[in-house]
Amino acid sequence: MSSRDTHTGRSNLFVRVYRFYAEGFRSMTTGRYLWAMIIIKLIILFFVFKLLFFPDILSRDYDNDEDRAAAVRRALVERGR
């Protein structure tokens, strides 16, 4: 029995799970290409969503941080009423 097999407990479980996934990704061929495509697609989607659907309204409407903070405070107080 090796020294790493004599240890039991949570850390050993995490190490075994990490090694399981690391070995699986290391031996992939087609899967690597698919994971790369998924990651690229997600990056593009989030970039487009950020640009089109989440504009930075505070920086557009206010010139400095103090004005932005005051606007956020006002909105939170009004919403709480």
mmCIF file of all heavy atoms in Angstrom, residues 5-23:
data_model
loop_
_atom_site.group_PDB
_atom_site.id
_atom_site.type_symbol
_atom_site.label_atom_id
_atom_site.label_comp_id
_atom_site.label_asym_id
_atom_site.label_seq_id
_atom_site.Cartn_x
_atom_site.Cartn_y
_atom_site.Cartn_z
ATOM 1 N N ASP A 5 -2.437 5.941 -0.253
ATOM 2 C CA ASP A 5 -3.582 5.068 -0.034
ATOM 3 C C ASP A 5 -3.889 4.889 1.451
ATOM 4 O O ASP A 5 -4.982 4.472 1.801
ATOM 5 C CB ASP A 5 -3.343 3.687 -0.649
ATOM 6 C CG ASP A 5 -3.311 3.755 -2.177
ATOM 7 O OD1 ASP A 5 -3.919 4.690 -2.727
ATOM 8 O OD2 ASP A 5 -2.682 2.876 -2.785
ATOM 9 N N THR A 6 -2.927 5.184 2.326
ATOM 10 C CA THR A 6 -3.155 4.991 3.748
ATOM 11 C C THR A 6 -3.976 6.110 4.358
ATOM 12 O O THR A 6 -4.548 5.942 5.421
ATOM 13 C CB THR A 6 -1.813 4.887 4.502
ATOM 14 O OG1 THR A 6 -1.076 6.093 4.278
ATOM 15 C CG2 THR A 6 -1.032 3.685 4.023
ATOM 16 N N HIS A 7 -4.043 7.270 3.699
ATOM 17 C CA HIS A 7 -4.813 8.386 4.223
ATOM 18 C C HIS A 7 -6.277 8.213 3.842
ATOM 19 O O HIS A 7 -6.610 7.916 2.717
ATOM 20 C CB HIS A 7 -4.304 9.717 3.663
ATOM 21 C CG HIS A 7 -2.882 9.990 4.009
ATOM 22 N ND1 HIS A 7 -2.473 10.244 5.295
ATOM 23 C CD2 HIS A 7 -1.781 10.056 3.240
ATOM 24 C CE1 HIS A 7 -1.172 10.454 5.296
ATOM 25 N NE2 HIS A 7 -0.730 10.338 4.067
ATOM 26 N N THR A 8 -7.145 8.415 4.814
ATOM 27 C CA THR A 8 -8.579 8.366 4.547
ATOM 28 C C THR A 8 -9.184 9.679 4.992
ATOM 29 O O THR A 8 -8.604 10.421 5.761
ATOM 30 C CB THR A 8 -9.253 7.210 5.302
ATOM 31 O OG1 THR A 8 -9.037 7.387 6.693
ATOM 32 C CG2 THR A 8 -8.734 5.871 4.828
ATOM 33 N N GLY A 9 -10.388 9.970 4.503
ATOM 34 C CA GLY A 9 -11.058 11.195 4.908
ATOM 35 C C GLY A 9 -11.430 12.043 3.715
ATOM 36 O O GLY A 9 -11.373 11.615 2.565
ATOM 37 N N ARG A 10 -11.806 13.271 3.996
ATOM 38 C CA ARG A 10 -12.308 14.164 2.958
ATOM 39 C C ARG A 10 -11.242 14.534 1.935
ATOM 40 O O ARG A 10 -11.513 14.590 0.755
ATOM 41 C CB ARG A 10 -12.848 15.434 3.581
ATOM 42 C CG ARG A 10 -14.175 15.235 4.236
ATOM 43 C CD ARG A 10 -14.689 16.531 4.681
ATOM 44 N NE ARG A 10 -15.474 17.088 3.599
ATOM 45 C CZ ARG A 10 -16.493 17.887 3.744
ATOM 46 N NH1 ARG A 10 -16.832 18.265 4.940
ATOM 47 N NH2 ARG A 10 -17.162 18.338 2.724
ATOM 48 N N SER A 11 -10.048 14.848 2.393
ATOM 49 C CA SER A 11 -9.032 15.288 1.445
ATOM 50 C C SER A 11 -8.724 14.197 0.428
ATOM 51 O O SER A 11 -8.498 14.483 -0.738
ATOM 52 C CB SER A 11 -7.765 15.718 2.172
ATOM 53 O OG SER A 11 -7.200 14.617 2.847
ATOM 54 N N ASN A 12 -8.728 12.961 0.858
ATOM 55 C CA ASN A 12 -8.469 11.861 -0.048
ATOM 56 C C ASN A 12 -9.573 11.767 -1.096
ATOM 57 O O ASN A 12 -9.307 11.506 -2.261
ATOM 58 C CB ASN A 12 -8.334 10.554 0.720
ATOM 59 C CG ASN A 12 -7.802 9.441 -0.154
ATOM 60 O OD1 ASN A 12 -7.241 9.684 -1.214
ATOM 61 N ND2 ASN A 12 -7.994 8.221 0.291
ATOM 62 N N LEU A 13 -10.824 11.991 -0.697
ATOM 63 C CA LEU A 13 -11.944 11.959 -1.631
ATOM 64 C C LEU A 13 -11.782 13.055 -2.680
ATOM 65 O O LEU A 13 -11.971 12.820 -3.871
ATOM 66 C CB LEU A 13 -13.271 12.117 -0.895
ATOM 67 C CG LEU A 13 -14.507 12.208 -1.786
ATOM 68 C CD1 LEU A 13 -14.718 10.889 -2.514
ATOM 69 C CD2 LEU A 13 -15.715 12.587 -0.971
ATOM 70 N N PHE A 14 -11.446 14.263 -2.234
ATOM 71 C CA PHE A 14 -11.255 15.367 -3.178
ATOM 72 C C PHE A 14 -10.113 15.089 -4.142
ATOM 73 O O PHE A 14 -10.204 15.384 -5.333
ATOM 74 C CB PHE A 14 -11.019 16.683 -2.446
ATOM 75 C CG PHE A 14 -12.225 17.172 -1.697
ATOM 76 C CD1 PHE A 14 -12.122 17.543 -0.378
ATOM 77 C CD2 PHE A 14 -13.469 17.254 -2.314
ATOM 78 C CE1 PHE A 14 -13.233 17.996 0.315
ATOM 79 C CE2 PHE A 14 -14.587 17.704 -1.638
ATOM 80 C CZ PHE A 14 -14.463 18.071 -0.315
ATOM 81 N N VAL A 15 -9.042 14.510 -3.641
ATOM 82 C CA VAL A 15 -7.900 14.176 -4.496
ATOM 83 C C VAL A 15 -8.300 13.128 -5.521
ATOM 84 O O VAL A 15 -7.964 13.240 -6.704
ATOM 85 C CB VAL A 15 -6.707 13.705 -3.644
ATOM 86 C CG1 VAL A 15 -5.609 13.116 -4.514
ATOM 87 C CG2 VAL A 15 -6.183 14.846 -2.795
ATOM 88 N N ARG A 16 -9.045 12.125 -5.082
ATOM 89 C CA ARG A 16 -9.471 11.076 -6.014
ATOM 90 C C ARG A 16 -10.414 11.617 -7.072
ATOM 91 O O ARG A 16 -10.309 11.260 -8.251
ATOM 92 C CB ARG A 16 -10.130 9.925 -5.258
ATOM 93 C CG ARG A 16 -9.128 9.086 -4.487
ATOM 94 C CD ARG A 16 -9.785 7.904 -3.876
ATOM 95 N NE ARG A 16 -10.940 8.375 -3.074
ATOM 96 C CZ ARG A 16 -11.717 7.604 -2.364
ATOM 97 N NH1 ARG A 16 -11.519 6.315 -2.328
ATOM 98 N NH2 ARG A 16 -12.721 8.097 -1.664
ATOM 99 N N VAL A 17 -11.337 12.496 -6.678
ATOM 100 C CA VAL A 17 -12.261 13.086 -7.653
ATOM 101 C C VAL A 17 -11.487 13.949 -8.647
ATOM 102 O O VAL A 17 -11.711 13.879 -9.860
ATOM 103 C CB VAL A 17 -13.358 13.906 -6.925
ATOM 104 C CG1 VAL A 17 -14.147 14.752 -7.902
ATOM 105 C CG2 VAL A 17 -14.281 12.975 -6.157
ATOM 106 N N TYR A 18 -10.555 14.758 -8.148
ATOM 107 C CA TYR A 18 -9.740 15.591 -9.035
ATOM 108 C C TYR A 18 -8.963 14.724 -10.021
ATOM 109 O O TYR A 18 -8.945 14.994 -11.222
ATOM 110 C CB TYR A 18 -8.777 16.457 -8.222
ATOM 111 C CG TYR A 18 -7.769 17.156 -9.091
ATOM 112 C CD1 TYR A 18 -8.125 18.279 -9.828
ATOM 113 C CD2 TYR A 18 -6.462 16.684 -9.204
ATOM 114 C CE1 TYR A 18 -7.225 18.908 -10.652
ATOM 115 C CE2 TYR A 18 -5.551 17.312 -10.020
ATOM 116 C CZ TYR A 18 -5.930 18.427 -10.743
ATOM 117 O OH TYR A 18 -5.015 19.039 -11.559
ATOM 118 N N ARG A 19 -8.330 13.678 -9.534
ATOM 119 C CA ARG A 19 -7.561 12.797 -10.413
ATOM 120 C C ARG A 19 -8.451 12.115 -11.439
ATOM 121 O O ARG A 19 -8.060 11.942 -12.598
ATOM 122 C CB ARG A 19 -6.811 11.750 -9.596
ATOM 123 C CG ARG A 19 -5.641 12.319 -8.861
ATOM 124 C CD ARG A 19 -4.876 11.245 -8.136
ATOM 125 N NE ARG A 19 -3.817 11.843 -7.331
ATOM 126 C CZ ARG A 19 -3.377 11.343 -6.218
ATOM 127 N NH1 ARG A 19 -3.871 10.213 -5.753
ATOM 128 N NH2 ARG A 19 -2.420 11.952 -5.549
ATOM 129 N N PHE A 20 -9.658 11.728 -11.029
ATOM 130 C CA PHE A 20 -10.607 11.095 -11.948
ATOM 131 C C PHE A 20 -10.914 12.021 -13.120
ATOM 132 O O PHE A 20 -10.826 11.633 -14.279
ATOM 133 C CB PHE A 20 -11.884 10.747 -11.171
ATOM 134 C CG PHE A 20 -12.994 10.226 -12.035
ATOM 135 C CD1 PHE A 20 -12.973 8.924 -12.503
ATOM 136 C CD2 PHE A 20 -14.059 11.044 -12.372
ATOM 137 C CE1 PHE A 20 -14.002 8.437 -13.295
ATOM 138 C CE2 PHE A 20 -15.090 10.576 -13.159
ATOM 139 C CZ PHE A 20 -15.069 9.267 -13.623
ATOM 140 N N TYR A 21 -11.270 13.288 -12.815
ATOM 141 C CA TYR A 21 -11.602 14.233 -13.877
ATOM 142 C C TYR A 21 -10.369 14.645 -14.680
ATOM 143 O O TYR A 21 -10.431 14.792 -15.899
ATOM 144 C CB TYR A 21 -12.310 15.460 -13.309
ATOM 145 C CG TYR A 21 -13.757 15.182 -13.005
ATOM 146 C CD1 TYR A 21 -14.193 15.018 -11.696
ATOM 147 C CD2 TYR A 21 -14.686 15.063 -14.022
ATOM 148 C CE1 TYR A 21 -15.519 14.745 -11.416
ATOM 149 C CE2 TYR A 21 -16.014 14.790 -13.758
ATOM 150 C CZ TYR A 21 -16.428 14.639 -12.458
ATOM 151 O OH TYR A 21 -17.733 14.368 -12.188
ATOM 152 N N ALA A 22 -9.250 14.830 -14.016
ATOM 153 C CA ALA A 22 -8.028 15.216 -14.729
ATOM 154 C C ALA A 22 -7.621 14.132 -15.720
ATOM 155 O O ALA A 22 -7.276 14.427 -16.870
ATOM 156 C CB ALA A 22 -6.902 15.481 -13.732
ATOM 157 N N GLU A 23 -7.675 12.894 -15.300
ATOM 158 C CA GLU A 23 -7.326 11.788 -16.198
ATOM 159 C C GLU A 23 -8.326 11.681 -17.340
ATOM 160 O O GLU A 23 -7.958 11.420 -18.489
ATOM 161 C CB GLU A 23 -7.263 10.471 -15.422
ATOM 162 C CG GLU A 23 -6.838 9.287 -16.256
ATOM 163 C CD GLU A 23 -5.450 9.459 -16.856
ATOM 164 O OE1 GLU A 23 -4.587 10.073 -16.206
ATOM 165 O OE2 GLU A 23 -5.238 8.972 -17.987
#
